[in-house]
Amino acid sequence: MPEPATSKSTPTPSARPHALLPLLGPAMVAGVAYLDPGNVASNMSAGAEYGYLLVWVVVLGNSMAWLIQYLSAKLGIATGESLPGLLGQRFRTKAGRYAYWIQAELVAMATDVAEVLGGAIALSLLFDLPLLVGGVITGIVSMLLLLLHSRRGSKPFERVITGLVVIIAVGFCAGILFAPVDGGSVVEGLVPRFEDSGSVLLAASILGATVMPHAIYAHSALTRDRFGFVPEGRVRQLVLRATRIDVTVALVIAGTVNVVILLLAAATLQGVAGTDTLEGAHAAIGSALGPIVATMFAVGLLASGLASTSVGAYAGAEIMSGLLHVQIPLVVRRVVTLIPALVILIIGVDPTLALVLSQVVLSFGIPFALVPLVRLTMRRDLLGESVNRWWTTVLAGIAAVLLITLNVTLLVLVATGA
């Protein structure tokens, strides 16, 4: 197998658990995609409208996300290249490459809309800033975080994002300590079922916010940036072991927070008027659990918006670079990708509705990222000893079929007006 041009030296780790700690980090950055404001809006809406009905969707999505993110990380480690970069090398026609780039770019822009809107809403809740001003501030902060990555490298960027993840987890989970969760209903919510077309719509939104296409693209790039090409043998095996731990920790945190958000909404917001928006949910949480919990929720939402929009912009830059072999200055790209979110704020579209719908757009982008990922990671000529085992490919294939089936079902329901 020819070694890719990108070859970054990776320190040789020992087999001791503490020696694996320096290798952790990329999954926590990618995992921020599972804690973005779109997740908050989707899970909050699901809990407020349907109670515990869709708990199973969050759990299923997080379980699939573990496998998917590990495959993406493994691809970067075993090839020294990102998923967009590998796809850019394999398209036979320029038209095909541009068509794929357009859909991937639309998904990245939908992601950015959710993240900027979430940050804007949080700044409005905390400081009573106009949404447009909050959107601009969120974009500027994300730009500064990206500059940190480009100038100081991946590790300082990972540390900042990890700090924001801690704030997100504390901010969103604090309320559950005071919310009267119904344990029996939680267990019932683990049984897969839908109630109506609205629950299917929210399920697609939750999955779009959980198994996120841009996180699939980004994770392979993050491991490439951190490790480069890792040769076959003991070093790669240890890096992959650390990566499995990394992905597990990141997604346990993300999954727990997402379930808690839905349970918090189910326990305190179900049947309460006005909770179909994040502003209304924040007010209802304040009324039910007190202003301190409401403020912590808003702080978590702000950290979510700032961290996730940085990772989303990183993914968008990688998509363009890998597929089109075009490098655009970071500031220019950040300004361009901010425009859709700012337009939504200017024309007065309901931000929470835009957040939920953006997650539905993401769900339709999942197959375009997931199917190529599975196909590439099952190629021995590309991954060598790290090629998928047969059962890994089967599980990943099942996940792809489930996600695609849900999207087709959603299209039918919307088309028939069910």
Side-chain angles (χ1 to χ4, degrees):
M1 181 178 67
E3 181 176 326
T6 303
S7 183
K8 190 176 180 179
S9 62
T10 303
T12 303
S14 72
R16 297 176 181 177
H18 73 273
L20 299 178
L21 290 177
L23 302 177
L24 306 183
M28 191 64 70
V29 176
V32 166
Y34 300 92
L35 294 170
D36 80 341
N39 290 85
V40 181
S42 296
N43 292 318
M44 192 70 68
S45 297
E49 188 170 349
Y50 293 99
Y52 303 92
L53 177 71
L54 299 177
V55 171
W56 68 273
V57 178
V58 181
V59 174
L60 176 64
N62 206 69
S63 301
M64 291 190 293
W66 187 97
L67 176 59
I68 292 165
Q69 292 305 134
Y70 174 67
L71 292 183
S72 177
K74 180 175 73 170
L75 185 68
I77 292 166
T79 66
E81 184 56 272
S82 68
L83 176 58
L86 290 170
L87 291 175
Q89 297 168 15
R90 281 160 174 75
F91 275 105
R92 295 182 179 180
T93 65
K94 187 175 182 180
R97 187 154 44 91
Y98 270 81
Y100 188 93
W101 168 74
I102 289 172
Q103 68 79 26
E105 197 69 44
L106 288 175
V107 166
M109 291 179 73
T111 302
D112 208 44
V113 165
E115 293 156 353
V116 173
L117 290 178
I121 293 171
L123 287 170
S124 175
L125 295 174
L126 289 169
F127 305 110
D128 200 27
L129 292 177
L131 288 174
L132 181 59
V133 174
V136 172
I137 291 174
T138 301
I140 292 174
V141 173
S142 69
M143 194 181 304
L144 294 175
L145 290 176
L146 287 169
L147 287 172
L148 174 68
H149 180 276
S150 62
R151 295 184 179 181
R152 300 290 299 275
S154 59
K155 287 189 177 181
F157 182 67
E158 289 170 6
R159 294 191 188 105
V160 173
I161 296 298
T162 300
L164 289 172
V165 168
V166 173
I167 296 173
I168 293 167
V170 173
F172 288 145
C173 293
I176 203 67
L177 299 176
F178 308 96
V181 175
D182 185 340
S185 296
V186 174
V187 173
E188 290 180 7
L190 294 172
V191 179
R193 67 193 190 280
F194 297 110
E195 185 173 297
D196 52 28
S197 60
S199 63
V200 177
L201 176 65
L202 277 172
S205 180
I206 290 171
L207 287 175
T210 303
V211 185
M212 303 187 77
H214 82 283
I216 300 174
Y217 297 126
H219 206 160
S220 58
L222 288 164
T223 53
R224 176 206 61 196
D225 289 350
R226 171 68 91 86
F227 305 114
F229 171 77
V230 182
E232 291 182 320
R234 178 172 173 270
V235 174
R236 182 187 292 183
Q237 291 170 4
L238 289 173
V239 171
L240 289 175
R241 178 186 172 193
T243 297
R244 287 191 290 271
I245 297 172
D246 198 21
V247 174
T248 299
V249 171
L251 288 178
V252 165
I253 293 172
T256 300
V257 172
N258 283 319
V259 170
V260 165
I261 291 171
L262 191 149
L263 297 182
L264 180 64
T268 62
L269 305 183
Q270 193 174 11
V272 178
T275 55
D276 54 343
T277 67
L278 286 175
E279 296 92 337
H282 172 265
I285 290 172
S287 298
L289 304 177
I292 294 178
V293 173
T295 299
M296 293 183 71
F297 174 85
V299 170
L301 182 63
L302 177 60
S304 169
L306 295 177
S308 56
T309 193
S310 303
V311 177
Y314 169 88
E318 181 60 35
I319 289 168
M320 176 171 285
S321 173
L323 289 168
L324 302 187
H325 312 296
V326 172
Q327 297 283 355
I328 293 181
L330 186 63
V331 173
V332 174
R333 179 175 175 81
R334 175 75 281 199
V335 170
V336 171
T337 54
L338 270 176
I339 292 175
L342 298 182
V343 168
I344 287 175
L345 293 174
I346 291 171
I347 63 179
V349 175
D350 175 23
T352 303
L353 176 61
L355 278 171
V356 174
L357 291 179
S358 72
Q359 304 312 297
V360 177
V361 173
L362 293 181
S363 74
F364 288 109
I366 291 169
F368 294 99
L370 182 53
V371 172
L373 175 67
V374 175
R375 287 179 61 86
L376 289 173
T377 53
M378 62 188 289
R379 288 185 51 176
R380 184 172 294 276
D381 64 322
L382 190 63
L383 270 72
E385 66 180 17
S386 303
V387 67
N388 291 347
R389 298 181 181 180
W390 69 266
W391 54 266
T392 303
T393 299
V394 169
L395 289 175
I398 291 172
V401 170
L402 286 174
L403 291 166
I404 294 169
T405 300
L406 180 60
N407 291 334
V408 172
T409 303
L410 177 60
L411 276 177
V412 172
L413 287 172
V414 172
T416 58

Short mmCIF file of all heavy atoms in Angstrom, two decimals, residues 1 67 70-80 229-241 243-244 373-393:
data_model
loop_
_atom_site.label_atom_id
_atom_site.label_comp_id
_atom_site.label_asym_id
_atom_site.label_seq_id
_atom_site.Cartn_x
_atom_site.Cartn_y
_atom_site.Cartn_z
N MET A 1 0.85 -1.20 0.00
CA MET A 1 0.00 0.00 0.00
C MET A 1 0.88 1.24 0.00
O MET A 1 1.71 1.41 0.90
CB MET A 1 -0.90 0.01 1.24
CG MET A 1 -1.82 1.21 1.31
SD MET A 1 -2.89 1.13 2.79
CE MET A 1 -1.67 1.34 4.07
N LEU A 67 -19.95 3.98 16.27
CA LEU A 67 -19.33 3.20 15.20
C LEU A 67 -18.90 4.10 14.05
O LEU A 67 -17.79 3.98 13.51
CB LEU A 67 -20.30 2.14 14.71
CG LEU A 67 -19.84 1.28 13.52
CD1 LEU A 67 -18.54 0.54 13.86
CD2 LEU A 67 -20.93 0.30 13.11
N TYR A 70 -15.86 6.28 14.92
CA TYR A 70 -14.63 5.48 14.99
C TYR A 70 -14.12 5.15 13.59
O TYR A 70 -12.91 5.22 13.33
CB TYR A 70 -14.86 4.20 15.79
CG TYR A 70 -13.65 3.30 15.76
CD1 TYR A 70 -12.47 3.69 16.39
CD2 TYR A 70 -13.67 2.09 15.07
CE1 TYR A 70 -11.33 2.88 16.33
CE2 TYR A 70 -12.55 1.27 15.02
CZ TYR A 70 -11.38 1.67 15.65
OH TYR A 70 -10.26 0.88 15.59
N LEU A 71 -15.03 4.78 12.69
CA LEU A 71 -14.61 4.47 11.32
C LEU A 71 -13.98 5.69 10.66
O LEU A 71 -12.97 5.58 9.94
CB LEU A 71 -15.81 3.99 10.49
CG LEU A 71 -16.41 2.63 10.87
CD1 LEU A 71 -17.54 2.28 9.91
CD2 LEU A 71 -15.36 1.54 10.87
N SER A 72 -14.55 6.87 10.90
CA SER A 72 -13.99 8.09 10.31
C SER A 72 -12.60 8.36 10.86
O SER A 72 -11.67 8.68 10.10
CB SER A 72 -14.92 9.27 10.59
OG SER A 72 -14.37 10.47 10.08
N ALA A 73 -12.46 8.25 12.18
CA ALA A 73 -11.15 8.48 12.79
C ALA A 73 -10.12 7.47 12.28
O ALA A 73 -8.98 7.82 11.98
CB ALA A 73 -11.28 8.38 14.31
N LYS A 74 -10.54 6.20 12.17
CA LYS A 74 -9.64 5.15 11.69
C LYS A 74 -9.19 5.43 10.26
O LYS A 74 -8.02 5.20 9.91
CB LYS A 74 -10.35 3.80 11.76
CG LYS A 74 -9.50 2.63 11.29
CD LYS A 74 -10.21 1.30 11.49
CE LYS A 74 -11.33 1.10 10.50
NZ LYS A 74 -11.85 -0.30 10.53
N LEU A 75 -10.09 5.95 9.44
CA LEU A 75 -9.74 6.26 8.05
C LEU A 75 -8.61 7.28 7.99
O LEU A 75 -7.66 7.13 7.21
CB LEU A 75 -10.98 6.79 7.32
CG LEU A 75 -10.82 7.05 5.82
CD1 LEU A 75 -10.62 5.75 5.06
CD2 LEU A 75 -12.04 7.80 5.28
N GLY A 76 -8.71 8.32 8.82
CA GLY A 76 -7.65 9.34 8.83
C GLY A 76 -6.33 8.79 9.32
O GLY A 76 -5.27 9.14 8.78
N ILE A 77 -6.37 7.92 10.33
CA ILE A 77 -5.15 7.35 10.90
C ILE A 77 -4.46 6.40 9.91
O ILE A 77 -3.24 6.41 9.76
CB ILE A 77 -5.48 6.62 12.21
CG1 ILE A 77 -5.90 7.64 13.28
CG2 ILE A 77 -4.31 5.78 12.69
CD1 ILE A 77 -6.55 7.03 14.50
N ALA A 78 -5.27 5.57 9.25
CA ALA A 78 -4.70 4.53 8.39
C ALA A 78 -4.28 5.03 7.01
O ALA A 78 -3.51 4.36 6.32
CB ALA A 78 -5.70 3.38 8.22
N THR A 79 -4.79 6.20 6.60
CA THR A 79 -4.46 6.71 5.27
C THR A 79 -3.71 8.02 5.30
O THR A 79 -3.10 8.41 4.29
CB THR A 79 -5.74 6.91 4.43
OG1 THR A 79 -6.53 7.94 5.02
CG2 THR A 79 -6.56 5.62 4.35
N GLY A 80 -3.75 8.74 6.42
CA GLY A 80 -3.15 10.06 6.46
C GLY A 80 -3.91 11.06 5.62
O GLY A 80 -3.37 12.10 5.21
N PHE A 229 -0.19 10.09 8.74
CA PHE A 229 -0.25 8.67 8.39
C PHE A 229 0.49 7.86 9.47
O PHE A 229 1.63 8.12 9.77
CB PHE A 229 0.41 8.44 7.03
CG PHE A 229 0.58 6.99 6.68
CD1 PHE A 229 -0.48 6.23 6.25
CD2 PHE A 229 1.84 6.40 6.80
CE1 PHE A 229 -0.31 4.89 5.93
CE2 PHE A 229 2.02 5.06 6.49
CZ PHE A 229 0.94 4.29 6.05
N VAL A 230 -0.21 6.88 10.06
CA VAL A 230 0.39 6.02 11.08
C VAL A 230 0.68 4.67 10.45
O VAL A 230 -0.25 3.96 10.04
CB VAL A 230 -0.54 5.86 12.29
CG1 VAL A 230 0.13 5.00 13.35
CG2 VAL A 230 -0.92 7.22 12.87
N PRO A 231 1.95 4.26 10.34
CA PRO A 231 2.29 2.98 9.69
C PRO A 231 1.65 1.79 10.40
O PRO A 231 1.35 1.84 11.60
CB PRO A 231 3.82 2.93 9.79
CG PRO A 231 4.24 4.34 10.03
CD PRO A 231 3.14 4.98 10.79
N GLU A 232 1.46 0.74 9.64
CA GLU A 232 0.91 -0.49 10.22
C GLU A 232 1.85 -1.04 11.29
O GLU A 232 3.05 -0.83 11.25
CB GLU A 232 0.71 -1.54 9.12
CG GLU A 232 -0.38 -1.20 8.13
CD GLU A 232 -0.58 -2.29 7.10
OE1 GLU A 232 0.44 -2.86 6.64
OE2 GLU A 232 -1.74 -2.57 6.77
N GLY A 233 1.24 -1.75 12.24
CA GLY A 233 2.05 -2.34 13.29
C GLY A 233 1.61 -1.89 14.67
O GLY A 233 0.48 -1.43 14.88
N ARG A 234 2.52 -1.99 15.61
CA ARG A 234 2.20 -1.74 17.01
C ARG A 234 1.74 -0.30 17.26
O ARG A 234 0.80 -0.06 18.02
CB ARG A 234 3.43 -2.05 17.87
CG ARG A 234 3.23 -1.79 19.36
CD ARG A 234 4.44 -2.30 20.15
NE ARG A 234 4.35 -1.92 21.56
CZ ARG A 234 4.84 -0.78 22.05
NH1 ARG A 234 5.46 0.06 21.23
NH2 ARG A 234 4.73 -0.50 23.32
N VAL A 235 2.40 0.66 16.63
CA VAL A 235 2.04 2.05 16.87
C VAL A 235 0.61 2.32 16.42
O VAL A 235 -0.18 2.94 17.15
CB VAL A 235 3.02 3.00 16.14
CG1 VAL A 235 2.56 4.44 16.28
CG2 VAL A 235 4.42 2.84 16.70
N ARG A 236 0.25 1.84 15.22
CA ARG A 236 -1.12 2.08 14.76
C ARG A 236 -2.14 1.41 15.67
O ARG A 236 -3.18 1.99 15.98
CB ARG A 236 -1.31 1.58 13.32
CG ARG A 236 -2.73 1.88 12.81
CD ARG A 236 -3.02 1.27 11.46
NE ARG A 236 -2.25 1.89 10.39
CZ ARG A 236 -2.38 1.56 9.11
NH1 ARG A 236 -3.25 0.61 8.75
NH2 ARG A 236 -1.64 2.14 8.19
N GLN A 237 -1.83 0.20 16.12
CA GLN A 237 -2.76 -0.50 17.00
C GLN A 237 -3.00 0.27 18.29
O GLN A 237 -4.13 0.36 18.77
CB GLN A 237 -2.21 -1.90 17.32
CG GLN A 237 -2.21 -2.84 16.12
CD GLN A 237 -1.44 -4.12 16.39
OE1 GLN A 237 -0.97 -4.36 17.50
NE2 GLN A 237 -1.30 -4.96 15.36
N LEU A 238 -1.95 0.87 18.84
CA LEU A 238 -2.10 1.64 20.07
C LEU A 238 -2.84 2.96 19.83
O LEU A 238 -3.64 3.39 20.65
CB LEU A 238 -0.73 1.90 20.70
CG LEU A 238 -0.06 0.67 21.30
CD1 LEU A 238 1.36 1.00 21.76
CD2 LEU A 238 -0.87 0.13 22.47
N VAL A 239 -2.57 3.58 18.69
CA VAL A 239 -3.29 4.81 18.35
C VAL A 239 -4.78 4.51 18.17
O VAL A 239 -5.65 5.27 18.62
CB VAL A 239 -2.70 5.47 17.09
CG1 VAL A 239 -3.59 6.62 16.63
CG2 VAL A 239 -1.29 5.98 17.37
N LEU A 240 -5.09 3.40 17.52
CA LEU A 240 -6.50 3.02 17.34
C LEU A 240 -7.14 2.65 18.67
O LEU A 240 -8.33 2.94 18.89
CB LEU A 240 -6.61 1.85 16.36
CG LEU A 240 -6.30 2.18 14.90
CD1 LEU A 240 -6.34 0.91 14.04
CD2 LEU A 240 -7.30 3.20 14.36
N ARG A 241 -6.38 2.03 19.56
CA ARG A 241 -6.91 1.74 20.90
C ARG A 241 -7.26 3.03 21.62
O ARG A 241 -8.32 3.16 22.23
CB ARG A 241 -5.89 0.93 21.70
CG ARG A 241 -6.34 0.62 23.12
CD ARG A 241 -5.23 -0.06 23.90
NE ARG A 241 -5.58 -0.20 25.31
CZ ARG A 241 -4.72 -0.52 26.26
NH1 ARG A 241 -3.45 -0.74 25.96
NH2 ARG A 241 -5.11 -0.62 27.51
N THR A 243 -7.94 5.80 20.23
CA THR A 243 -9.06 6.41 19.51
C THR A 243 -10.39 5.81 19.95
O THR A 243 -11.39 6.53 20.09
CB THR A 243 -8.87 6.21 17.99
OG1 THR A 243 -7.68 6.89 17.59
CG2 THR A 243 -10.05 6.77 17.22
N ARG A 244 -10.43 4.50 20.17
CA ARG A 244 -11.67 3.88 20.66
C ARG A 244 -12.06 4.44 22.03
O ARG A 244 -13.24 4.70 22.29
CB ARG A 244 -11.51 2.36 20.72
CG ARG A 244 -11.50 1.69 19.35
CD ARG A 244 -11.61 0.18 19.47
NE ARG A 244 -10.41 -0.42 20.02
CZ ARG A 244 -9.37 -0.82 19.30
NH1 ARG A 244 -9.37 -0.66 17.98
NH2 ARG A 244 -8.31 -1.38 19.88
N LEU A 373 -17.97 6.30 3.46
CA LEU A 373 -17.11 5.94 4.60
C LEU A 373 -17.05 4.43 4.77
O LEU A 373 -15.96 3.86 4.94
CB LEU A 373 -17.65 6.59 5.88
CG LEU A 373 -16.93 6.21 7.17
CD1 LEU A 373 -15.50 6.75 7.17
CD2 LEU A 373 -17.70 6.73 8.38
N VAL A 374 -18.20 3.77 4.72
CA VAL A 374 -18.23 2.32 4.88
C VAL A 374 -17.48 1.64 3.73
O VAL A 374 -16.71 0.70 3.95
CB VAL A 374 -19.68 1.81 4.96
CG1 VAL A 374 -19.72 0.29 5.00
CG2 VAL A 374 -20.38 2.40 6.19
N ARG A 375 -17.70 2.11 2.51
CA ARG A 375 -17.06 1.49 1.35
C ARG A 375 -15.53 1.63 1.42
O ARG A 375 -14.80 0.70 1.09
CB ARG A 375 -17.59 2.11 0.06
CG ARG A 375 -19.01 1.69 -0.27
CD ARG A 375 -19.47 2.36 -1.56
NE ARG A 375 -18.64 1.99 -2.69
CZ ARG A 375 -18.82 0.91 -3.44
NH1 ARG A 375 -19.82 0.08 -3.17
NH2 ARG A 375 -18.03 0.66 -4.46
N LEU A 376 -15.05 2.79 1.86
CA LEU A 376 -13.60 3.00 1.91
C LEU A 376 -12.95 2.19 3.03
O LEU A 376 -11.85 1.64 2.85
CB LEU A 376 -13.29 4.49 2.09
CG LEU A 376 -13.57 5.39 0.88
CD1 LEU A 376 -13.39 6.85 1.25
CD2 LEU A 376 -12.66 5.02 -0.29
N THR A 377 -13.63 2.10 4.18
CA THR A 377 -13.01 1.41 5.32
C THR A 377 -13.08 -0.11 5.19
O THR A 377 -12.48 -0.82 6.00
CB THR A 377 -13.67 1.84 6.65
OG1 THR A 377 -15.10 1.68 6.56
CG2 THR A 377 -13.34 3.28 6.97
N MET A 378 -13.79 -0.62 4.18
CA MET A 378 -13.80 -2.07 3.94
C MET A 378 -12.81 -2.47 2.85
O MET A 378 -12.76 -3.63 2.45
CB MET A 378 -15.22 -2.55 3.58
CG MET A 378 -15.78 -1.95 2.32
SD MET A 378 -17.54 -2.38 2.07
CE MET A 378 -17.40 -4.12 1.66
N ARG A 379 -11.98 -1.52 2.40
CA ARG A 379 -10.99 -1.79 1.36
C ARG A 379 -9.62 -2.08 1.97
O ARG A 379 -8.98 -1.20 2.55
CB ARG A 379 -10.89 -0.60 0.41
CG ARG A 379 -12.09 -0.45 -0.51
CD ARG A 379 -11.89 0.66 -1.50
NE ARG A 379 -10.61 0.53 -2.22
CZ ARG A 379 -10.25 1.35 -3.20
NH1 ARG A 379 -11.06 2.33 -3.59
NH2 ARG A 379 -9.08 1.19 -3.80
N ARG A 380 -9.18 -3.31 1.83
CA ARG A 380 -7.89 -3.72 2.39
C ARG A 380 -6.72 -3.01 1.69
O ARG A 380 -5.70 -2.71 2.33
CB ARG A 380 -7.72 -5.23 2.30
CG ARG A 380 -6.45 -5.76 2.95
CD ARG A 380 -6.43 -7.27 3.00
NE ARG A 380 -7.48 -7.78 3.87
CZ ARG A 380 -7.36 -7.90 5.19
NH1 ARG A 380 -6.24 -7.51 5.79
NH2 ARG A 380 -8.35 -8.40 5.91
N ASP A 381 -6.86 -2.74 0.40
CA ASP A 381 -5.77 -2.07 -0.31
C ASP A 381 -5.56 -0.65 0.18
O ASP A 381 -4.49 -0.06 -0.03
CB ASP A 381 -6.04 -2.07 -1.82
CG ASP A 381 -7.28 -1.26 -2.18
OD1 ASP A 381 -8.27 -1.32 -1.43
OD2 ASP A 381 -7.27 -0.58 -3.22
N LEU A 382 -6.55 -0.09 0.88
CA LEU A 382 -6.46 1.28 1.38
C LEU A 382 -6.08 1.31 2.86
O LEU A 382 -5.24 2.10 3.29
CB LEU A 382 -7.80 2.00 1.17
CG LEU A 382 -7.83 3.50 1.43
CD1 LEU A 382 -6.90 4.24 0.47
CD2 LEU A 382 -9.26 4.03 1.30
N LEU A 383 -6.68 0.42 3.66
CA LEU A 383 -6.48 0.45 5.12
C LEU A 383 -5.54 -0.64 5.62
O LEU A 383 -5.13 -0.61 6.78
CB LEU A 383 -7.82 0.34 5.85
CG LEU A 383 -8.50 1.67 6.16
CD1 LEU A 383 -9.06 2.31 4.89
CD2 LEU A 383 -9.60 1.50 7.19
N GLY A 384 -5.21 -1.61 4.78
CA GLY A 384 -4.30 -2.65 5.22
C GLY A 384 -4.87 -3.44 6.38
O GLY A 384 -6.01 -3.89 6.36
N GLU A 385 -4.07 -3.58 7.45
CA GLU A 385 -4.48 -4.38 8.61
C GLU A 385 -5.67 -3.78 9.36
O GLU A 385 -6.31 -4.47 10.16
CB GLU A 385 -3.31 -4.54 9.57
CG GLU A 385 -2.88 -3.22 10.21
CD GLU A 385 -1.72 -3.36 11.18
OE1 GLU A 385 -1.04 -4.39 11.14
OE2 GLU A 385 -1.50 -2.43 11.97
N SER A 386 -5.97 -2.51 9.10
CA SER A 386 -7.06 -1.83 9.81
C SER A 386 -8.39 -1.92 9.07
O SER A 386 -9.36 -1.25 9.46
CB SER A 386 -6.69 -0.36 10.03
OG SER A 386 -5.48 -0.25 10.73
N VAL A 387 -8.45 -2.70 8.02
CA VAL A 387 -9.69 -2.85 7.27
C VAL A 387 -10.79 -3.35 8.18
O VAL A 387 -10.55 -4.06 9.17
CB VAL A 387 -9.47 -3.83 6.08
CG1 VAL A 387 -9.22 -5.24 6.60
CG2 VAL A 387 -10.64 -3.80 5.12
N ASN A 388 -12.03 -2.98 7.89
CA ASN A 388 -13.17 -3.41 8.70
C ASN A 388 -13.25 -4.93 8.79
O ASN A 388 -13.00 -5.63 7.80
CB ASN A 388 -14.49 -2.92 8.10
CG ASN A 388 -14.67 -1.43 8.20
OD1 ASN A 388 -13.93 -0.76 8.91
ND2 ASN A 388 -15.65 -0.91 7.50
N ARG A 389 -13.63 -5.43 9.94
CA ARG A 389 -14.05 -6.82 10.03
C ARG A 389 -15.44 -6.94 9.44
O ARG A 389 -16.16 -5.95 9.34
CB ARG A 389 -14.03 -7.28 11.49
CG ARG A 389 -12.63 -7.22 12.12
CD ARG A 389 -12.63 -7.71 13.54
NE ARG A 389 -11.30 -7.63 14.12
CZ ARG A 389 -11.01 -8.00 15.37
NH1 ARG A 389 -11.97 -8.48 16.16
NH2 ARG A 389 -9.77 -7.90 15.83
N TRP A 390 -15.82 -8.16 9.10
CA TRP A 390 -17.08 -8.32 8.38
C TRP A 390 -18.26 -7.82 9.21
O TRP A 390 -19.19 -7.20 8.69
CB TRP A 390 -17.28 -9.79 8.00
CG TRP A 390 -17.54 -10.72 9.16
CD1 TRP A 390 -16.62 -11.45 9.84
CD2 TRP A 390 -18.82 -11.00 9.76
NE1 TRP A 390 -17.23 -12.17 10.85
CE2 TRP A 390 -18.58 -11.92 10.81
CE3 TRP A 390 -20.11 -10.57 9.51
CZ2 TRP A 390 -19.60 -12.42 11.62
CZ3 TRP A 390 -21.13 -11.06 10.32
CH2 TRP A 390 -20.88 -11.97 11.35
N TRP A 391 -18.21 -8.06 10.53
CA TRP A 391 -19.34 -7.65 11.36
C TRP A 391 -19.40 -6.13 11.52
O TRP A 391 -20.47 -5.56 11.70
CB TRP A 391 -19.30 -8.36 12.72
CG TRP A 391 -18.02 -8.22 13.48
CD1 TRP A 391 -16.96 -9.07 13.50
CD2 TRP A 391 -17.66 -7.15 14.36
NE1 TRP A 391 -15.96 -8.61 14.32
CE2 TRP A 391 -16.36 -7.43 14.87
CE3 TRP A 391 -18.31 -5.98 14.77
CZ2 TRP A 391 -15.71 -6.59 15.76
CZ3 TRP A 391 -17.66 -5.13 15.66
CH2 TRP A 391 -16.37 -5.44 16.14
N THR A 392 -18.23 -5.48 11.45
CA THR A 392 -18.22 -4.01 11.50
C THR A 392 -18.92 -3.44 10.28
O THR A 392 -19.74 -2.51 10.38
CB THR A 392 -16.78 -3.49 11.55
OG1 THR A 392 -16.12 -4.05 12.69
CG2 THR A 392 -16.76 -1.97 11.66
N THR A 393 -18.60 -4.00 9.11
CA THR A 393 -19.25 -3.55 7.88
C THR A 393 -20.75 -3.82 7.92
O THR A 393 -21.55 -2.98 7.49
CB THR A 393 -18.62 -4.25 6.67
OG1 THR A 393 -17.22 -3.92 6.61
CG2 THR A 393 -19.29 -3.81 5.38
#
